[in-house]
Each structure stands twice: as C-alpha cells, then as structure tokens.
Coordinates of all heavy atoms in Angstrom, one line a residue:
M40 N 25.1 -78.7 -8.2 CA 23.8 -78.2 -7.7 C 23.3 -77.0 -8.6 O 22.4 -76.4 -8.3 CB 24.1 -77.8 -6.3 CG 24.3 -79.1 -5.3 SD 24.7 -78.5 -3.8 CE 23.1 -78.3 -3.0
G41 N 24.2 -76.6 -9.7 CA 23.7 -75.6 -10.5 C 24.0 -74.3 -10.0 O 23.4 -73.3 -10.6
K42 N 24.8 -74.1 -9.0 CA 25.2 -72.8 -8.4 C 26.5 -72.4 -8.7 O 27.5 -73.4 -8.7 CB 24.9 -72.8 -6.9 CG 23.4 -73.1 -6.4 CD 22.6 -71.9 -7.0 CE 21.2 -72.1 -6.6 NZ 20.2 -71.1 -7.0
S43 N 27.0 -71.3 -9.1 CA 28.3 -70.9 -9.4 C 28.8 -70.4 -8.2 O 28.3 -69.9 -7.3 CB 28.3 -69.9 -10.6 OG 27.5 -68.8 -10.2
F44 N 30.2 -70.4 -8.2 CA 31.0 -69.7 -7.2 C 31.5 -68.3 -7.7 O 31.7 -68.1 -8.8 CB 32.2 -70.6 -6.9 CG 32.0 -71.8 -6.2 CD1 31.9 -73.1 -6.8 CD2 32.0 -71.9 -4.7 CE1 31.7 -74.3 -6.0 CE2 31.6 -72.9 -4.0 CZ 31.5 -74.2 -4.7
S45 N 31.8 -67.5 -6.8 CA 32.4 -66.2 -7.1 C 33.7 -66.1 -6.6 O 34.0 -66.5 -5.5 CB 31.5 -65.0 -6.5 OG 32.1 -63.8 -6.4
S46 N 34.5 -65.7 -7.5 CA 35.9 -65.5 -7.1 C 36.1 -64.5 -6.0 O 37.1 -64.9 -5.2 CB 36.7 -64.8 -8.3 OG 36.6 -65.8 -9.5
T47 N 35.3 -63.8 -5.6 CA 35.5 -62.8 -4.5 C 35.1 -63.5 -3.2 O 35.6 -63.1 -2.2 CB 34.5 -61.7 -4.5 OG1 33.0 -62.0 -4.6 CG2 34.9 -60.8 -5.7
S48 N 34.6 -64.7 -3.2 CA 34.2 -65.5 -2.1 C 35.1 -66.6 -1.9 O 35.1 -67.3 -0.9 CB 32.8 -66.1 -2.3 OG 32.8 -67.1 -3.2
T49 N 36.2 -66.8 -2.8 CA 37.1 -67.8 -2.5 C 38.4 -67.5 -1.6 O 38.8 -66.3 -1.7 CB 37.6 -68.4 -3.8 OG1 38.3 -67.4 -4.5 CG2 36.5 -69.0 -4.6
A50 N 38.6 -68.3 -0.7 CA 39.7 -68.0 0.2 C 41.1 -68.0 -0.5 O 41.4 -69.0 -1.3 CB 39.8 -68.9 1.3
G51 N 41.9 -67.1 -0.3 CA 43.2 -67.1 -0.9 C 43.3 -66.8 -2.4 O 44.4 -67.2 -3.1
G52 N 42.3 -66.5 -3.0 CA 42.2 -66.1 -4.5 C 42.3 -67.2 -5.4 O 42.5 -67.2 -6.5
D53 N 41.8 -68.5 -4.9 CA 41.8 -69.7 -5.7 C 40.6 -69.4 -6.7 O 39.7 -68.8 -6.5 CB 41.4 -71.0 -4.9 CG 42.4 -71.3 -4.0 OD1 43.7 -71.0 -4.2 OD2 42.3 -72.0 -2.9
D54 N 40.9 -70.0 -8.0 CA 39.9 -69.9 -8.9 C 38.8 -70.9 -8.6 O 38.9 -71.8 -7.8 CB 40.4 -69.9 -10.3 CG 40.9 -71.3 -10.7 OD1 40.9 -72.1 -9.9 OD2 41.2 -71.6 -11.9
D55 N 37.7 -70.7 -9.3 CA 36.4 -71.5 -9.1 C 36.7 -73.0 -9.2 O 36.2 -73.8 -8.3 CB 35.3 -71.1 -10.0 CG 35.0 -69.7 -9.7 OD1 35.2 -69.2 -8.8 OD2 34.1 -69.2 -10.6
E56 N 37.3 -73.4 -10.3 CA 37.8 -74.8 -10.5 C 38.5 -75.5 -9.4 O 38.1 -76.6 -9.0 CB 38.5 -74.9 -11.8 CG 37.5 -74.7 -13.0 CD 38.3 -75.0 -14.3 OE1 39.1 -75.9 -14.4 OE2 38.0 -74.4 -15.2
V57 N 39.5 -74.7 -8.8 CA 40.2 -75.2 -7.7 C 39.4 -75.4 -6.5 O 39.4 -76.4 -5.8 CB 41.4 -74.3 -7.5 CG1 42.1 -74.8 -6.2 CG2 42.4 -74.3 -8.6
V58 N 38.7 -74.4 -6.3 CA 37.7 -74.5 -5.1 C 36.7 -75.6 -5.3 O 36.5 -76.4 -4.3 CB 36.7 -73.2 -4.9 CG1 35.8 -73.4 -3.8 CG2 37.7 -72.0 -4.6
V59 N 36.2 -75.9 -6.4 CA 35.2 -77.0 -6.6 C 35.9 -78.3 -6.4 O 35.3 -79.2 -5.8 CB 34.5 -76.8 -8.1 CG1 33.8 -78.2 -8.3 CG2 33.6 -75.6 -8.2
E60 N 37.2 -78.3 -7.0 CA 37.9 -79.7 -6.9 C 38.1 -80.0 -5.3 O 38.0 -81.1 -5.0 CB 39.2 -79.7 -7.6 CG 38.9 -79.6 -9.2 CD 38.2 -81.0 -9.4 OE1 38.5 -82.0 -9.1 OE2 37.2 -80.8 -10.4
K61 N 38.5 -79.0 -4.7 CA 38.6 -79.2 -3.2 C 37.5 -79.6 -2.4 O 37.5 -80.5 -1.7 CB 39.2 -77.8 -2.5 CG 40.7 -77.6 -2.8 CD 41.1 -76.2 -2.2 CE 42.4 -75.8 -2.5 NZ 42.9 -74.5 -1.9
V62 N 36.3 -79.0 -2.7 CA 35.0 -79.5 -2.1 C 34.7 -80.9 -2.5 O 34.4 -81.8 -1.6 CB 33.9 -78.4 -2.5 CG1 32.6 -78.9 -2.1 CG2 34.1 -77.1 -1.9
L63 N 34.9 -81.2 -3.8 CA 34.5 -82.5 -4.2 C 35.5 -83.6 -3.5 O 35.0 -84.7 -3.0 CB 34.7 -82.7 -5.8 CG 33.7 -81.9 -6.5 CD1 34.0 -81.9 -8.0 CD2 32.3 -82.5 -6.2
W64 N 36.8 -83.3 -3.5 CA 37.6 -84.2 -2.7 C 37.3 -84.3 -1.3 O 37.1 -85.4 -0.8 CB 39.1 -83.7 -2.9 CG 40.1 -84.5 -2.3 CD1 40.6 -85.8 -2.5 CD2 40.8 -84.2 -0.9 NE1 41.5 -86.2 -1.6 CE2 41.6 -85.3 -0.7 CE3 40.6 -83.1 -0.1 CZ2 42.3 -85.2 0.5 CZ3 41.4 -83.1 1.0 CH2 42.3 -84.2 1.4
R65 N 37.1 -83.2 -0.6 CA 36.8 -83.2 0.9 C 35.6 -84.0 1.1 O 35.5 -84.6 2.2 CB 36.9 -81.9 1.5 CG 38.2 -81.2 1.5 CD 38.1 -79.8 2.2 NE 39.3 -79.2 2.3 CZ 40.2 -79.3 3.2 NH1 40.0 -80.2 4.0 NH2 41.4 -78.7 3.2
S66 N 34.6 -84.1 0.2 CA 33.4 -84.6 0.5 C 33.2 -85.9 -0.2 O 32.1 -86.5 -0.1 CB 32.2 -83.6 0.1 OG 32.3 -83.4 -1.2
S67 N 34.2 -86.5 -0.8 CA 34.0 -87.8 -1.5 C 33.9 -88.9 -0.6 O 34.5 -88.9 0.6 CB 35.2 -87.9 -2.5 OG 36.4 -88.2 -1.5
L68 N 33.1 -89.8 -0.9 CA 32.7 -90.9 -0.2 C 34.0 -91.7 0.2 O 34.2 -92.2 1.2 CB 31.7 -91.9 -0.7 CG 31.2 -93.0 0.1 CD1 30.5 -92.4 1.3 CD2 30.2 -93.9 -0.8
G69 N 34.9 -91.9 -0.8 CA 36.0 -92.6 -0.6 C 37.0 -92.1 0.3 O 37.6 -92.9 1.2
R70 N 37.2 -90.7 0.3 CA 38.0 -90.2 1.4 C 37.3 -90.1 2.7 O 38.0 -90.5 3.8 CB 38.2 -88.6 1.0 CG 39.1 -87.8 2.1 CD 39.2 -86.3 1.6 NE 39.7 -85.7 2.7 CZ 39.1 -85.2 3.7 NH1 37.9 -85.3 3.9 NH2 39.8 -84.5 4.6
L71 N 36.1 -89.9 2.9 CA 35.3 -89.9 4.2 C 35.5 -91.3 4.8 O 35.7 -91.5 5.9 CB 34.0 -89.3 4.1 CG 33.8 -88.0 3.7 CD1 32.4 -87.6 3.4 CD2 34.5 -87.0 4.7
K72 N 35.2 -92.3 3.9 CA 35.3 -93.6 4.5 C 36.6 -94.1 5.1 O 36.7 -95.0 5.9 CB 35.0 -94.7 3.4 CG 33.5 -94.7 3.0 CD 33.3 -95.6 1.8 CE 33.1 -97.1 2.3 NZ 32.6 -97.9 1.2
E73 N 37.7 -93.5 4.6 CA 39.0 -93.9 5.0 C 39.6 -93.0 6.1 O 40.6 -93.2 6.8 CB 40.0 -93.7 3.8 CG 39.8 -94.7 2.6 CD 39.9 -96.1 3.1 OE1 40.7 -96.4 4.0 OE2 38.9 -96.9 2.8
L74 N 38.8 -92.1 6.6 CA 39.3 -91.3 7.8 C 39.2 -92.1 9.0 O 38.2 -92.8 9.2 CB 38.4 -90.0 8.0 CG 38.5 -88.9 7.0 CD1 37.4 -87.8 7.2 CD2 39.8 -88.3 6.9
E75 N 40.1 -92.0 9.7 CA 40.3 -92.9 11.0 C 39.1 -92.8 11.9 O 38.5 -93.8 12.4 CB 41.6 -92.5 11.8 CG 42.0 -93.5 12.8 CD 42.4 -94.8 12.3 OE1 42.9 -94.9 11.2 OE2 42.1 -95.8 13.0
V76 N 38.6 -91.5 12.0 CA 37.4 -91.3 12.9 C 36.4 -92.1 12.4 O 35.4 -92.6 13.1 CB 37.2 -90.0 13.1 CG1 36.6 -89.3 11.9 CG2 36.1 -89.6 14.2
N77 N 36.1 -92.2 11.1 CA 35.0 -93.0 10.6 C 35.3 -94.5 10.4 O 34.2 -95.2 10.4 CB 34.6 -92.4 9.2 CG 34.2 -91.0 9.3 OD1 33.4 -90.5 10.2 ND2 34.4 -90.2 8.3
K78 N 36.4 -94.9 10.5 CA 36.8 -96.3 10.6 C 36.5 -96.9 12.0 O 36.0 -98.0 12.1 CB 38.2 -96.7 10.0 CG 38.4 -96.5 8.7 CD 39.9 -96.8 8.4 CE 40.3 -96.7 7.1 NZ 41.7 -97.1 6.9
N79 N 37.0 -96.1 13.0 CA 37.0 -96.7 14.2 C 36.3 -96.0 15.4 O 36.1 -96.4 16.5 CB 38.6 -96.9 14.7 CG 39.3 -97.8 13.9 OD1 38.9 -98.9 13.6 ND2 40.5 -97.2 13.3
G80 N 35.7 -94.7 15.0 CA 35.0 -93.9 16.0 C 33.6 -94.5 16.2 O 33.1 -95.4 15.5
V81 N 33.1 -94.0 17.3 CA 31.7 -94.5 17.7 C 30.9 -93.3 18.0 O 31.3 -92.2 18.7 CB 31.7 -95.3 18.9 CG1 30.5 -95.7 19.6 CG2 32.6 -96.6 18.6
L82 N 29.6 -93.2 17.6 CA 28.8 -92.1 18.0 C 28.2 -92.4 19.4 O 27.5 -93.4 19.6 CB 27.4 -92.1 16.9 CG 26.4 -91.0 17.3 CD1 27.0 -89.6 17.1 CD2 25.4 -91.1 16.4
E83 N 28.9 -91.7 20.3 CA 28.7 -92.1 21.8 C 27.2 -92.1 22.2 O 26.8 -92.8 23.0 CB 29.5 -91.1 22.6 CG 31.0 -91.2 22.5 CD 31.6 -92.7 22.9 OE1 30.9 -93.4 23.8 OE2 32.5 -93.2 22.2
L84 N 26.4 -91.2 21.7 CA 25.2 -90.9 22.2 C 24.3 -92.3 22.0 O 23.6 -92.7 22.9 CB 24.4 -89.9 21.3 CG 22.8 -89.6 21.6 CD1 22.8 -89.0 23.0 CD2 22.4 -88.8 20.6
V85 N 24.5 -93.1 20.9 CA 23.7 -94.4 20.8 C 24.7 -95.5 20.7 O 24.2 -96.6 20.4 CB 22.8 -94.3 19.5 CG1 21.7 -93.3 19.8 CG2 23.6 -93.8 18.3
R86 N 25.9 -95.3 20.9 CA 27.0 -96.3 20.8 C 27.0 -97.1 19.4 O 27.0 -98.3 19.4 CB 26.9 -97.4 22.0 CG 26.9 -96.8 23.2 CD 28.1 -96.3 23.8 NE 29.3 -97.2 23.6 CZ 30.6 -97.0 23.4 NH1 31.1 -95.8 23.4 NH2 31.5 -98.0 23.3
V87 N 26.8 -96.3 18.3 CA 26.9 -96.9 17.0 C 28.2 -96.5 16.3 O 28.6 -95.4 16.4 CB 25.7 -96.3 16.1 CG1 25.6 -96.8 14.8 CG2 24.4 -96.7 16.8
P88 N 28.9 -97.6 15.8 CA 30.2 -97.3 15.1 C 30.0 -96.4 13.8 O 28.9 -96.5 13.2 CB 30.6 -98.7 14.6 CG 29.9 -99.6 15.5 CD 28.7 -99.0 15.8
N89 N 30.9 -95.5 13.7 CA 30.7 -94.4 12.6 C 30.7 -95.1 11.3 O 30.2 -94.6 10.4 CB 31.9 -93.4 12.7 CG 31.7 -92.5 13.9 OD1 30.7 -92.4 14.5 ND2 32.8 -91.8 14.2
A90 N 31.4 -96.3 11.2 CA 31.4 -97.0 9.9 C 30.1 -97.5 9.3 O 29.9 -97.6 8.2 CB 32.3 -98.3 10.0
H91 N 29.1 -97.5 10.3 CA 27.8 -97.8 10.0 C 27.0 -96.9 9.1 O 26.0 -97.1 8.5 CB 26.9 -98.2 11.2 CG 27.2 -99.6 11.8 ND1 27.1 -100.8 11.2 CD2 28.0 -99.8 12.9 CE1 27.4 -101.8 11.9 NE2 27.9 -101.2 13.0
F92 N 27.6 -95.7 9.0 CA 27.0 -94.5 8.4 C 27.5 -94.6 6.9 O 26.9 -93.7 6.2 CB 27.3 -93.2 9.0 CG 26.7 -93.0 10.3 CD1 27.5 -93.2 11.5 CD2 25.3 -92.7 10.4 CE1 26.9 -93.0 12.8 CE2 24.7 -92.6 11.7 CZ 25.4 -92.7 12.9
F93 N 28.3 -95.4 6.5 CA 28.7 -95.6 5.1 C 28.3 -97.0 4.5 O 28.6 -97.9 5.1 CB 30.3 -95.4 5.1 CG 30.8 -94.1 5.6 CD1 31.1 -93.9 6.9 CD2 30.8 -93.0 4.8 CE1 31.5 -92.7 7.3 CE2 31.3 -91.8 5.2 CZ 31.6 -91.5 6.5
R94 N 27.7 -96.8 3.3 CA 27.4 -97.9 2.7 C 28.3 -98.0 1.4 O 29.5 -97.7 1.4 CB 25.9 -98.0 2.2 CG 25.0 -98.0 3.4 CD 23.5 -98.2 3.1 NE 23.2 -97.6 1.9 CZ 22.4 -96.6 1.8 NH1 22.2 -95.8 2.9 NH2 21.9 -96.1 0.5
K95 N 27.9 -98.6 0.2 CA 28.6 -98.8 -0.9 C 29.1 -97.5 -1.6 O 30.1 -97.4 -2.2 CB 27.9 -99.7 -2.0 CG 27.7 -101.1 -1.5 CD 26.8 -101.9 -2.4 CE 26.3 -103.1 -2.0 NZ 25.3 -103.7 -3.0
G96 N 28.2 -96.5 -1.5 CA 28.4 -95.3 -2.3 C 28.0 -95.4 -3.7 O 28.5 -94.8 -4.7
T97 N 27.2 -96.4 -4.0 CA 26.7 -96.6 -5.3 C 25.4 -96.0 -5.7 O 24.4 -95.9 -4.8 CB 26.4 -98.2 -5.7 OG1 27.6 -98.9 -5.3 CG2 26.0 -98.5 -7.0
V98 N 25.3 -95.3 -6.7 CA 24.1 -94.5 -7.1 C 22.9 -95.5 -7.2 O 22.9 -96.5 -7.8 CB 24.2 -93.7 -8.6 CG1 22.9 -93.1 -8.9 CG2 25.3 -92.8 -8.4
G99 N 21.6 -95.0 -6.4 CA 20.7 -95.9 -6.4 C 20.5 -97.1 -5.5 O 19.5 -97.8 -5.4
D100 N 21.5 -97.2 -4.7 CA 21.7 -98.4 -3.7 C 20.7 -98.2 -2.5 O 20.2 -99.1 -1.9 CB 23.1 -98.4 -3.1 CG 23.3 -99.7 -2.3 OD1 22.8 -100.8 -2.7 OD2 23.9 -99.6 -1.3
W101 N 20.3 -96.9 -2.3 CA 19.2 -96.6 -1.3 C 17.9 -97.4 -1.6 O 17.3 -97.7 -0.6 CB 19.0 -95.0 -1.4 CG 18.2 -94.5 -2.5 CD1 19.0 -94.0 -3.7 CD2 16.9 -94.6 -2.9 NE1 18.0 -93.7 -4.6 CE2 16.7 -93.9 -4.2 CE3 15.7 -95.0 -2.2 CZ2 15.5 -93.9 -4.9 CZ3 14.5 -94.9 -2.9 CH2 14.4 -94.2 -4.2
K102 N 17.8 -97.8 -2.8 CA 16.5 -98.6 -3.1 C 16.6 -99.9 -2.4 O 15.5 -100.6 -2.2 CB 16.2 -98.7 -4.6 CG 16.0 -97.4 -5.4 CD 15.9 -97.6 -6.9 CE 15.9 -96.2 -7.4 NZ 15.9 -96.3 -8.9
N103 N 17.7 -100.3 -1.9 CA 17.7 -101.6 -1.3 C 17.6 -101.5 0.1 O 17.5 -102.5 0.8 CB 19.2 -102.3 -1.5 CG 19.4 -102.7 -3.0 OD1 18.6 -103.1 -3.6 ND2 20.5 -102.2 -3.5
Y104 N 17.5 -100.3 0.6 CA 17.3 -100.1 2.0 C 16.1 -99.4 2.4 O 15.5 -99.4 3.6 CB 18.5 -99.3 2.5 CG 19.7 -99.9 2.4 CD1 20.5 -99.8 1.2 CD2 20.3 -100.8 3.4 CE1 21.7 -100.5 1.1 CE2 21.5 -101.4 3.3 CZ 22.1 -101.3 2.0 OH 23.3 -102.0 1.9
L105 N 15.4 -98.4 1.5 CA 14.2 -97.7 1.7 C 12.9 -98.1 1.0 O 13.2 -98.6 -0.2 CB 14.5 -96.3 1.4 CG 15.7 -95.5 2.1 CD1 15.9 -94.1 1.5 CD2 15.6 -95.6 3.6
T106 N 11.9 -98.2 1.6 CA 10.7 -98.4 1.0 C 10.3 -97.2 0.1 O 10.8 -96.1 0.4 CB 9.5 -98.8 2.0 OG1 9.3 -97.5 2.8 CG2 9.9 -99.9 2.9
P107 N 9.4 -97.2 -0.8 CA 8.9 -96.1 -1.7 C 8.4 -95.1 -0.7 O 8.5 -93.9 -0.9 CB 7.9 -96.7 -2.5 CG 8.3 -98.1 -2.8 CD 8.9 -98.5 -1.5
R108 N 7.6 -95.5 0.3 CA 7.0 -94.6 1.2 C 8.1 -93.8 2.1 O 8.0 -92.6 2.2 CB 6.2 -95.3 2.4 CG 5.6 -94.4 3.4 CD 4.1 -94.7 3.5 NE 3.6 -93.9 4.8 CZ 3.2 -92.6 4.8 NH1 3.4 -91.9 3.7 NH2 2.7 -92.1 5.9
M109 N 9.2 -94.5 2.4 CA 10.3 -93.9 3.1 C 11.0 -92.8 2.2 O 11.2 -91.7 2.6 CB 11.3 -94.8 3.7 CG 10.8 -95.9 4.7 SD 11.8 -97.1 4.9 CE 13.2 -96.6 5.9
A110 N 11.2 -93.2 1.0 CA 11.9 -92.4 0.0 C 10.9 -91.1 -0.2 O 11.4 -89.9 -0.4 CB 12.1 -93.1 -1.3
E111 N 9.7 -91.3 -0.3 CA 8.7 -90.2 -0.6 C 8.8 -89.2 0.7 O 8.8 -88.0 0.5 CB 7.4 -90.7 -0.7 CG 6.3 -89.6 -0.8 CD 4.8 -90.2 -0.9 OE1 4.6 -91.3 -1.4 OE2 3.9 -89.4 -0.5
R112 N 8.9 -89.7 1.9 CA 8.9 -88.9 3.1 C 10.3 -88.1 3.1 O 10.2 -86.8 3.5 CB 8.9 -89.7 4.3 CG 8.8 -89.1 5.5 CD 7.7 -88.1 5.7 NE 7.7 -87.5 7.1 CZ 7.4 -86.1 7.3 NH1 7.0 -85.4 6.3 NH2 7.6 -85.5 8.4
I113 N 11.4 -88.8 2.8 CA 12.6 -88.0 2.7 C 12.5 -86.7 1.7 O 13.0 -85.8 1.8 CB 13.9 -88.9 2.4 CG1 14.1 -89.9 3.6 CG2 15.1 -88.2 1.9 CD1 15.0 -90.9 3.4
D114 N 12.0 -87.1 0.5 CA 11.8 -86.1 -0.5 C 10.9 -84.9 0.0 O 11.3 -83.7 -0.3 CB 11.1 -86.6 -1.8 CG 12.0 -87.5 -2.6 OD1 13.3 -87.4 -2.4 OD2 11.6 -88.2 -3.5
Q115 N 10.0 -85.3 0.7 CA 9.1 -84.2 1.3 C 9.8 -83.4 2.4 O 9.7 -82.2 2.3 CB 7.9 -84.8 2.0 CG 6.8 -85.4 1.0 CD 5.7 -86.2 1.9 OE1 5.9 -86.5 3.0 NE2 4.7 -86.6 1.2
L116 N 10.6 -83.9 3.1 CA 11.4 -83.3 4.2 C 12.4 -82.3 3.4 O 12.7 -81.2 4.0 CB 12.0 -84.1 5.1 CG 11.0 -84.9 6.2 CD1 11.9 -86.0 6.8 CD2 10.6 -83.9 7.2
T117 N 13.1 -82.9 2.5 CA 14.1 -82.3 1.8 C 13.6 -81.0 1.1 O 14.1 -79.9 1.1 CB 14.8 -83.1 0.8 OG1 15.4 -84.3 1.5 CG2 15.9 -82.3 0.1
Q118 N 12.5 -81.2 0.4 CA 11.8 -80.1 -0.2 C 11.3 -79.0 0.8 O 11.6 -77.8 0.5 CB 10.4 -80.5 -1.0 CG 10.6 -81.3 -2.1 CD 11.2 -80.5 -3.3 OE1 11.6 -79.3 -3.2 NE2 11.2 -81.1 -4.6
F119 N 11.0 -79.4 1.9 CA 10.6 -78.3 3.0 C 11.9 -77.6 3.5 O 11.8 -76.5 3.6 CB 10.0 -79.2 4.2 CG 9.6 -78.3 5.4 CD1 8.6 -77.4 5.4 CD2 10.5 -78.2 6.5 CE1 8.2 -76.5 6.4 CE2 10.3 -77.4 7.6 CZ 9.1 -76.5 7.6
K120 N 13.0 -78.3 3.6 CA 14.1 -77.6 4.2 C 14.8 -76.8 3.1 O 15.5 -75.9 3.4 CB 15.2 -78.8 4.5 CG 14.8 -79.7 5.6 CD 15.0 -78.9 6.9 CE 14.7 -79.9 8.1 NZ 14.8 -79.1 9.4
L121 N 14.5 -77.0 1.8 CA 15.1 -76.3 0.8 C 14.3 -75.1 0.3 O 14.8 -74.2 -0.3 CB 15.2 -77.1 -0.5 CG 16.3 -78.2 -0.6 CD1 16.2 -79.0 -1.7 CD2 17.7 -77.7 -0.2
Q122 N 13.1 -75.0 1.0 CA 12.2 -73.8 0.8 C 13.0 -72.5 1.0 O 13.6 -72.3 2.0 CB 11.0 -73.8 1.6 CG 10.0 -74.8 1.1 CD 8.7 -74.9 2.0 OE1 8.7 -74.3 3.0 NE2 7.8 -75.6 1.4
G123 N 13.0 -71.5 -0.1 CA 13.5 -70.2 0.2 C 15.1 -70.2 -0.3 O 15.8 -69.2 -0.1
T124 N 15.7 -71.3 -0.6 CA 17.2 -71.5 -0.8 C 17.4 -71.2 -2.3 O 18.5 -71.0 -2.7 CB 17.8 -72.7 -0.4 OG1 17.2 -73.7 -1.2 CG2 17.5 -73.1 1.1
G125 N 16.4 -71.4 -3.2 CA 16.6 -71.4 -4.4 C 17.0 -72.7 -5.2 O 17.3 -72.8 -6.3
L126 N 17.1 -73.6 -4.3 CA 17.5 -75.1 -4.7 C 16.3 -75.8 -4.7 O 15.3 -75.7 -3.9 CB 18.5 -75.6 -3.8 CG 19.8 -74.8 -3.6 CD1 20.6 -75.4 -2.6 CD2 20.6 -74.9 -4.9
S127 N 16.3 -76.9 -5.6 CA 15.1 -77.9 -5.4 C 15.5 -79.3 -5.9 O 16.6 -79.5 -6.5 CB 13.9 -77.4 -6.3 OG 14.2 -77.6 -7.7
L128 N 14.8 -80.3 -5.6 CA 15.1 -81.7 -6.1 C 14.7 -81.9 -7.5 O 15.1 -82.9 -8.2 CB 14.3 -82.6 -5.2 CG 14.7 -82.7 -3.8 CD1 13.7 -83.7 -3.0 CD2 16.1 -83.2 -3.5
D129 N 14.0 -80.9 -8.0 CA 13.6 -81.3 -9.5 C 14.6 -80.7 -10.4 O 14.5 -81.1 -11.7 CB 12.4 -80.3 -9.6 CG 11.2 -80.8 -8.8 OD1 11.0 -82.0 -8.5 OD2 10.4 -79.9 -8.4
D130 N 15.6 -80.1 -10.1 CA 16.7 -79.7 -11.2 C 17.5 -80.7 -11.7 O 17.7 -81.6 -11.0 CB 17.6 -78.5 -10.3 CG 16.8 -77.3 -10.1 OD1 15.9 -77.1 -10.5 OD2 17.4 -76.5 -9.2

C-alpha cells in the first residue's frame, strides 16, 4: 500500500520485514480459506456458509461477477472511505 512501518510501532521489537511477512501470511487467501471457521462456519444472520465468501483468489476474477457499473460504484465507495487517510486507489 506504499506505507512504511516504524520499528517503534512493532510488537516485541520485530523488524519491519518480519512484521510485513506476518501480516501477509495472516491475511493470505490460502490461509483464510483453510481456517475451520471459514470451511464449515455459517453467517447466522443470513444463514450463508462462510465458504461462500471465498472465490478463486485470482487477480481480475471479479470481472466475472461484477458489471462495470457495480465496479464503478465500489470504486466510488472506496474513494469515499479512503478520504483523509492518505491512501487512494490511484497509487
């Protein structure tokens, strides 16, 4: 995301590379898909299996599911939510 980590903000004195690797591993699609709660759990509110929230994990696969108008709306909402954070979709 183009943002750096500060050594003073890392827990236990881990260096930046270790922290980044931990974040990448914990948020990887492969790992999340294999968690028991995501394989067999259910979102009780709407009775939807958690497994339905995971697709292939292929870059650009969203084009097979979203219309251009839907993608545009998501971009608009994301830009709105990112206002004031110093982050943008254009980077």
